[in-house]
């Protein structure tokens, strides 16, 4: 469906990164805690912090505790993703790498970075495999 090299980022309980090289071979990836998991664990372990809505803040510097948590969780996750993408590109020795976001929060993240949102990528892939084997 997409040209390679390719990085697929799945935004679920975990944020997973899958990397395909220019030949289209899966070569590995990375797994980090997802956005909601990070927020839940932060508010669970830090007694003085309460849960907030997962919305992107207008600024990196929050002027309330709520905005500071939103910045740390949401903007921090964007920085994590962009940093991982940059490092994957270096290891691939490729600048032109297609980035695909899929899963739970992919639509929201596609608004804040250069990424194609394909929410149903996994389900469509499974359907394609099923059809090939039917």
């Amino acid at each position: 469906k997409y040209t390679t090299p390719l990085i697929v980022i799945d935004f679920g309980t975990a944020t997973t990164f899958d990397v395909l090289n220019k030949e289209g071979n899966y070569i590995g990836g990375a797994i980090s805690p997802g956005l909601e998991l990070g927020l839940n664990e932060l508010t669970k372990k830090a007694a003085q912090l309460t849960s907030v809505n997962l919305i992107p803040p207008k600024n990196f510097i929050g002027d309330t505790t709520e905005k500071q948590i939103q910045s740390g969780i949401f903007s921090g996750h964007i920085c994590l993703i962009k940093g991982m993408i940059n490092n994957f590109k270096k290891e691939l020795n490729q600048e032109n790498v297609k980035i695909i976001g899929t899963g739970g929060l992919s639509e929201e993240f596609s608004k804040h970075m250069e990424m194609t949102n394909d929410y149903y990528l996994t389900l469509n892939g499974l359907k394609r495999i099923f059809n090939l084997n039917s």
Side-chain angles (χ1 to χ4, degrees):
K1 185 172 182 179
Y2 299 103
T3 58
T4 55
L6 175 69
I7 300 168
V8 178
I9 306 167
D10 189 348
F11 297 91
T13 302
T15 299
T16 61
F17 302 83
D18 295 306
V19 182
L20 284 75
N21 64 15
K22 63 183 174 184
E23 290 80 26
N25 299 316
Y26 172 77
I27 59 169
I31 302 171
S32 67
L35 195 69
E36 291 176 357
L37 179 63
L39 175 62
N40 291 341
E41 284 302 303
L42 177 67
T43 57
K44 179 178 165 184
K45 304 279 183 181
Q48 299 299 313
L49 299 179
T50 59
S51 192
V52 299
N53 290 326
L54 282 176
I55 58 172
K58 292 181 181 171
N59 302 303
F60 275 88
I61 301 171
D63 58 2
T64 66
T65 302
E66 178 182 21
K67 290 177 185 173
Q68 290 170 9
I69 294 170
Q70 288 169 332
S71 179
I73 295 292
F74 198 92
S75 300
H77 214 67
I78 289 173
C79 292
L80 163 90
I81 293 162
K82 287 181 177 181
M84 294 297 283
I85 290 169
N86 286 336
N87 285 309
F88 291 147
K89 286 179 177 181
K90 285 178 190 172
E91 287 185 30
L92 288 168
N93 198 26
Q94 298 274 189
E95 268 306 307
N96 295 324
V97 178
K98 183 81 172 162
I99 311 299
I100 307 297
T102 190
L105 294 168
S106 61
E107 185 175 352
E108 184 61 42
F109 277 94
S110 69
K111 297 174 187 174
H112 303 278
M113 60 185 63
E114 207 170 309
M115 173 177 75
T116 299
N117 178 40
D118 191 342
Y119 185 84
Y120 294 108
L121 179 67
T122 302
L123 292 175
N124 288 333
L126 289 171
K127 179 180 176 189
R128 186 171 179 188
I129 291 167
F130 175 79
N131 289 338
L132 289 171
N133 290 297
S134 293

